[in-house]
Amino acid sequence: GAASFGRDVRPGGRLAGAVDRTPGPGLHGDVAGGAGQGAAGGRGVIGFLRLYAAQSAAAIRCSFADRTNFAIQVGGMALNDLFMLTLWWMFFAGFRSVGGWTRPDMALLMGFMMTIVGISGVAFGGYRDMALALLRGELDALLTQPKGLISRLLARESIATAWGDLAGGLMVLGLFADMSWRQAPLAVLGVAAGMAVYVSAGISFASL
């Protein structure tokens, strides 16, 4: 008994060899499973983004279908924005600074607002009529489809007038906000954050 015990635990013995050769039954499986799940999750996100981009592009093409109506809507929104900006321009022509706010500060704020509303309306225009879609019960058909429900609702429509807001916002930021090219990354970050808040608020209000 003692001899067999000594043979089992000495270097090169069966027990030591078993310990050396066995890395742990579930270790490789868990690591491989985690890596596989991560890769599958990455492919799922990419596929979701591609699907949303395709749906949003289709909605944008639909908004271009009637070019006369599209031009009228974009032009009308551009005139509306121009009128509003003219009022602020005249205001700051008489009052150089109000509470520390100057004309470039107001141009920066208005440019951000117009750009955020413009991009949201172009790429996520379904938020505008989401409440109406809920009241009409249009979700029933979408529930049978495999992809995200909210994303399909957002990508159903592209608002033509939003192009006027987008063009006006970029013009104001580029010409009147006293921004430099070094501040462009911060501007992009600010627009992205503002879009997240704006679209999320639209979804929340529609769901009440």
Side-chain angles (χ1 to χ4, degrees):
S4 62
F5 180 79
R7 274 197 312 272
D8 291 340
V9 298
R10 73 176 184 271
R14 288 172 296 177
L15 180 58
V19 172
D20 292 339
R21 289 191 299 268
T22 306
L27 180 60
H28 290 325
D30 292 343
V31 172
Q37 291 176 359
R43 288 193 298 269
V45 172
I46 294 175
F48 172 79
L49 293 177
R50 286 179 176 175
L51 177 61
Y52 186 87
Q55 293 173 334
S56 182
I60 292 173
R61 287 194 298 270
C62 288
S63 69
F64 290 162
D66 188 346
R67 296 187 179 183
T68 302
N69 180 62
F70 177 82
I72 291 174
Q73 293 192 59
V74 173
M77 181 55 67
L79 287 176
N80 176 77
D81 293 339
L82 179 62
F83 178 74
M84 180 179 61
L85 292 172
T86 302
L87 290 179
W88 281 112
W89 186 275
M90 294 171 62
F91 178 84
F92 280 102
F95 303 94
R96 299 295 181 181
S97 176
V98 178
W101 285 76
T102 61
R103 182 182 295 168
D105 298 326
M106 182 56 66
L108 181 65
L109 176 62
M110 299 301 296
F112 269 119
M113 291 174 57
M114 293 163 63
T115 304
I116 289 169
V117 173
I119 298 178
S120 299
V122 170
F124 309 97
Y127 78 89
R128 184 180 64 175
D129 296 329
M130 186 177 292
L132 183 60
L134 295 175
L135 292 175
R136 290 178 175 176
E138 297 177 6
L139 271 67
D140 296 343
L142 298 177
L143 289 173
T144 61
Q145 301 176 10
K147 297 298 180 180
L149 177 62
I150 293 179
S151 63
R152 287 187 176 273
L153 287 172
L154 291 176
R156 294 176 68 184
E157 182 182 3
S158 178
I159 304 173
T161 55
W163 288 101
D165 285 324
L166 178 57
L170 293 177
M171 182 188 67
V172 171
L173 289 176
L175 298 179
F176 306 111
D178 287 350
M179 291 182 58
S180 65
W181 287 109
R182 291 179 297 177
Q183 297 172 312
L186 291 177
V188 172
L189 181 61
V191 169
M195 284 174 52
V197 173
Y198 183 78
V199 175
S200 298
I203 295 173
S204 301
F205 294 154
S207 303
L208 295 177

